[in-house]
Amino acid sequence: MPRQFFVGGNFKMNGVAESITGIVNNLNSSKLDPNTEVVISPPALYLTLTRSLADPKIGVAAQNVFDKPNGAFTGEISVEQLKDAKIDWVVIGHSERRVILKETDEFIARKTKAAIDGGLSVIFCIGETLEEREANKTIEVVTRQLNAAAKELSKEQWAKVVIAYEPVWAIGTGKVATTEQAQEVHAAIREWLGKTIDSHAQETVRVIYGGSVSEKNCRELATQPDVDGFLVGGASLKPAFVDIVNARI
Ligand SMILES: O=C(CO)COP(=O)(O)O
């Protein structure tokens, strides 16, 4: 069964109500490939605005969620609160939270479990730093990150996961991974899925690429057999995001 192409737009800490309204209105009025699943992720403050404006076929994701159901966790947002806001997706484990906010593999795995248990789908981010790549540790690092999630999730729960491979050295740098680099790691992730989860997960879980994706490089990357889509940062704030969504038409 072919895996549905998936394009996520991670706005990160960018935009205000007016600009985010413009982005969503542009998406709503654009011709989007009906065979591509599109999910956009605004800052938390604008989740309900984005959900209220976006065409129902466009998914909306939070950029984070806490692992506890409720309580004295100042500043955090719970799975229940996202569901209450009609938000069905959440990005978890982004390298900016792993590196800047020091989120551990185990904490990220617990958040992923809590999100899926609560009915959310998860864009699960993994990826190596330049130092780790140069030390030939890329596969070791992404495997470690995935293994932490495998300890928490049931085999069936991987149906609610989209894995985003985002080499840290490609994020926000303009240095996109080559098609060979992306395909190599995506194939290794797919092999990990078969060995660690099961053959169904190996065939069906989408593995998407993130890191300086643009309208100029997306088409070539999309030709790779194990590249099932993209998680787009900077370019998701621009009209060219539509071209990335339509990378396969
Ligand atoms: O971090 C990313 C998406 O989550 C990628 O960001 P850029 O597309 O700006 O490199």
Side-chain angles (χ1 to χ4, degrees):
M1 176 176 73
R3 297 180 293 271
Q4 185 179 12
F5 202 64
F6 182 102
V7 175
N10 177 6
F11 298 179
K12 303 190 182 183
M13 192 177 75
N14 294 300
V16 292
E18 183 181 359
S19 58
I20 289 170
T21 298
I23 291 169
V24 179
N25 287 340
N26 178 61
L27 274 177
N28 286 342
S29 60
S30 298
K31 187 171 174 11
L32 303 179
D33 181 352
N35 297 313
T36 298
E37 184 170 12
V38 180
V39 175
I40 54 178
S41 185
L45 204 55
Y46 304 109
L47 283 167
T48 50
L49 169 67
T50 301
R51 185 61 284 168
S52 70
L53 290 173
D55 184 299
K57 68 177 183 294
I58 296 172
V60 179
Q63 294 178 15
N64 185 42
V65 72
F66 202 52
D67 65 332
K68 301 293 186 294
N70 55 44
F73 305 105
T74 301
E76 292 297 334
I77 296 174
S78 72
V79 172
E80 181 187 26
Q81 291 164 340
L82 292 179
K83 292 295 287 181
D84 185 49
K86 307 286 186 282
I87 303 304
D88 295 325
W89 285 88
V90 59
V91 178
I92 297 178
H94 192 280
S95 63
E96 288 147 9
R97 300 196 65 87
R98 291 176 186 267
V99 174
I100 300 167
L101 297 167
K102 309 295 183 209
E103 291 191 354
T104 65
D105 292 344
E106 293 70 24
F107 182 37
I108 289 161
R110 289 199 308 272
K111 296 204 284 187
T112 302
K113 172 69 171 170
I116 296 172
D117 284 350
L120 296 176
S121 295
V122 173
I123 299 172
F124 184 82
C125 299
I126 59 177
E128 81 285 5
T129 64
L130 182 59
E131 184 181 19
E132 290 164 337
R133 172 166 282 269
E134 287 174 345
N136 292 318
K137 291 184 177 177
T138 297
I139 305 306
E140 176 188 327
V141 168
V142 299
T143 299
R144 187 203 75 223
Q145 294 169 328
L146 287 166
N147 282 340
K151 284 182 186 154
E152 293 286 342
L153 302 183
S154 69
K155 292 184 186 298
E156 296 71 25
Q157 288 185 312
W158 284 89
K160 302 289 278 182
V161 176
V162 171
I163 297 170
Y165 167 58
E166 296 201 305
V168 181
W169 47 271
I171 295 174
T173 62
K175 294 177 190 148
V176 65
T178 65
T179 50
E180 293 74 20
Q181 288 172 326
Q183 172 55 29
E184 178 194 13
V185 180
H186 282 227
I189 293 167
R190 195 157 300 290
E191 184 183 2
W192 176 90
L193 284 165
K195 285 182 180 168
T196 313
I197 312 303
D198 60 23
S199 58
H200 180 70
Q202 182 174 20
E203 288 159 25
T204 59
V205 172
R206 282 146 324 157
V207 183
I208 65 177
Y209 169 80
S212 292
V213 173
S214 74
E215 68 281 9
K216 296 184 178 67
N217 59 41
C218 61
R219 290 183 180 280
E220 187 184 4
L221 281 164
T223 63
Q224 298 307 297
D226 290 304
V227 174
D228 301 319
F230 303 112
L231 185 55
V232 183
S236 68
L237 301 167
K238 302 170 187 169
F241 182 60
V242 170
D243 297 327
I244 299 169
V245 169
N246 295 334
R248 295 216 294 191
I249 57 173

